[in-house]
Amino acid sequence: LQQRRGLRLSAPAAIQVTVRDALNQALDEELERDERVFLLGEEVAQYDGAYKISRGLWKKYGDKRVIDTPISEMGFAGIAVGAAMAGLRPVCEFMTFNFSMQAIDQVINSAAKTCYMSAGSIAVPIVFRGPNGASAGVAAQHSQCFAAWYGHCPGLKVVSPWSAEDAKGLLKASIRDDNPVVMLENELLYGVPFEMSEQAQSKEFVIPIGKAKIERQGTNVTLVSHSRPVGHCMEAAAVLAKEGVDCEVINLRTIRPMDIETVEASVVKTNHLVTVEGGWPQFGVGAEICARIMEGPAFNYLDAPAVRVTGADVPMPYAKILEDNCIPQVKDIVFAVKKALNI
């Protein structure tokens, strides 16, 4: 009626959504869309999830779709892999990816290798998801980033969201994918609100696996990151902008397959590269990016060596002051950019 009267209707505005709620929405929508999808893990059902990601889903979908498991990662990951081979689409939650080490045989030897070893006749459509990397005050056995570990393994897809849109779009894409996907979330981001566009509020919103996003356009230096450090890069870019340095910030979103083309195009434009990650330096995600740039056409456009910003090469200390010094901070990124630009 308003349109007939010639009145302009405004589109629904973007809304603020936390990463936790975005993940919950994605699970809810995919459980509703496909009856083959089910969620299992420790405390995901009656307790609503250790981080409340699965809040309300057990009451809505019942015991067969949202399943509490014993504290045995090897056991419930094996059940999930077998279910995927039999035609279901399980979402397997690890309370922390540090404990996915208990199930590494199931993730790599069972899930990742089966499609190849069966000549493509057996698909394993499974998502392994949960918090990855450092949280706050939980010490070494709960604070490791496994992006490089899982990104190393052919047969897996590995995604690492930063924003609420990343979390929703990548989880939905992962559940719909016919390959095993490892989704590395971050506990410290769960409660952080991000703007979610009208498009992302759709039930059909997915983010293609393997495509990075340029979060901030720039001309002087390329910052490449994933997960929580993307936010640090955005903060560092704002600080550096006041000093006349224009940073381009790339949110990888996917670790494997890696969108190196987007990084190359940015380096061709800016002539400088800084990688930022929370993981250890040796054989890390940043090391892979630097190698790929060095081996490819963008190398000829670099005006200075690439610089890596990483976590410290030690098991994570418990004490807060030591923990802070082991995790990349905004000041570390600013320092690395100035080093790359020789200013």
Side-chain angles (χ1 to χ4, degrees):
L1 183 61
Q2 285 178 310
Q3 283 177 320
R4 283 200 213 109
R5 290 173 178 167
L7 298 175
R8 181 180 295 173
L9 294 176
S10 59
I15 58 173
Q16 293 280 315
V17 177
T18 65
V19 171
R20 173 182 290 109
D21 288 341
L23 291 166
N24 181 266
Q25 283 176 27
L27 286 168
D28 188 7
E29 290 169 9
E30 293 306 299
L31 284 162
E32 181 180 63
R33 186 186 71 88
D34 189 341
E35 64 181 12
R36 296 171 298 172
V37 176
F38 71 99
L39 172 67
L40 80 167
E42 296 155 355
E43 299 182 350
V44 300
Q46 295 188 41
Y47 188 65
D48 279 342
Y51 309 99
K52 304 306 176 212
I53 303 299
S54 53
R55 183 179 58 243
L57 299 181
W58 174 67
K59 289 178 181 175
K60 185 173 181 180
Y61 295 102
D63 291 327
K64 290 188 177 180
R65 305 288 303 282
V66 183
I67 303 168
D68 278 331
T69 66
I71 303 174
S72 173
E73 284 79 9
M74 181 186 292
F76 66 74
I79 289 169
V81 172
M85 291 177 178
L88 299 179
R89 305 186 83 87
V91 179
C92 178
E93 178 179 306
F94 294 123
M95 198 176 287
T96 162
F97 258 95
N98 294 266
F99 300 151
S100 73
M101 292 294 95
Q102 299 288 329
I104 196 74
D105 182 55
Q106 306 289 6
V107 177
I108 306 302
N109 284 328
S110 297
K113 297 177 182 178
T114 293
C115 184
Y116 183 87
M117 294 180 73
S118 67
S121 64
I122 303 175
V124 189
I126 184 171
V127 180
F128 300 100
R129 53 153 297 271
N132 169 72
S135 181
V138 291
Q141 291 179 341
H142 298 74
S143 294
Q144 186 177 336
C145 176
F146 288 91
W149 282 59
Y150 287 117
H152 181 64
C153 302
L156 288 179
K157 294 184 178 181
V158 183
V159 299
S160 181
W162 168 54
S163 67
E165 283 198 8
D166 289 353
K168 182 178 181 182
L170 288 172
L171 180 52
K172 289 171 74 73
S174 299
I175 291 171
R176 297 181 188 191
D177 202 287
D178 287 334
N179 300 281
V181 182
V182 170
M183 182 159 173
L184 303 171
E185 301 157 13
N186 186 286
E187 183 183 342
L188 296 177
L189 287 174
Y190 283 154
V192 178
F194 288 88
E195 190 172 276
M196 184 173 277
S197 66
E198 179 194 355
Q199 180 190 12
Q201 295 168 43
S202 162
K203 288 187 176 183
E204 292 308 310
F205 175 72
V206 294
I207 290 173
I209 294 174
K211 184 63 181 169
K213 180 186 179 186
I214 298 175
E215 297 287 352
R216 186 186 195 277
Q217 297 279 351
T219 57
N220 296 139
V221 60
T222 299
L223 294 174
V224 187
S225 190
H226 66 95
S227 191
R228 187 167 174 254
V230 174
H232 296 337
C233 288
M234 295 293 282
E235 291 178 45
V239 171
L240 287 159
K242 296 175 182 176
E243 301 182 34
V245 178
D246 191 16
C247 299
E248 181 146 296
V249 179
I250 297 177
N251 173 9
L252 275 180
R253 284 181 165 175
T254 305
I255 307 301
R256 186 183 185 104
M258 186 178 286
D259 182 7
I260 204 66
E261 292 79 14
T262 294
V263 180
E264 285 179 334
S266 180
V267 170
V268 166
K269 178 172 65 170
T270 68
N271 311 117
H272 298 89
L273 173 64
V274 175
T275 67
V276 185
E277 64 188 304
W280 292 322
Q282 212 161 288
F283 317 112
V285 174
E288 174 67 15
I289 294 168
C290 291
R292 299 276 281 275
I293 291 298
M294 186 272 291
E295 292 166 351
F299 175 72
N300 294 316
Y301 291 84
L302 279 175
D303 288 343
V307 179
R308 290 180 294 158
V309 180
T310 72
D313 197 20
V314 296
M316 184 64 69
Y318 172 72
K320 186 180 189 312
I321 190 168
L322 296 176
E323 181 182 71
D324 288 345
N325 280 283
C326 284
I327 300 171
Q329 308 290 337
V330 172
K331 62 180 175 60
D332 302 315
I333 301 169
V334 171
F335 179 83
V337 168
K338 291 182 175 180
K339 179 181 176 181
L341 295 173
N342 196 29
I343 58 176

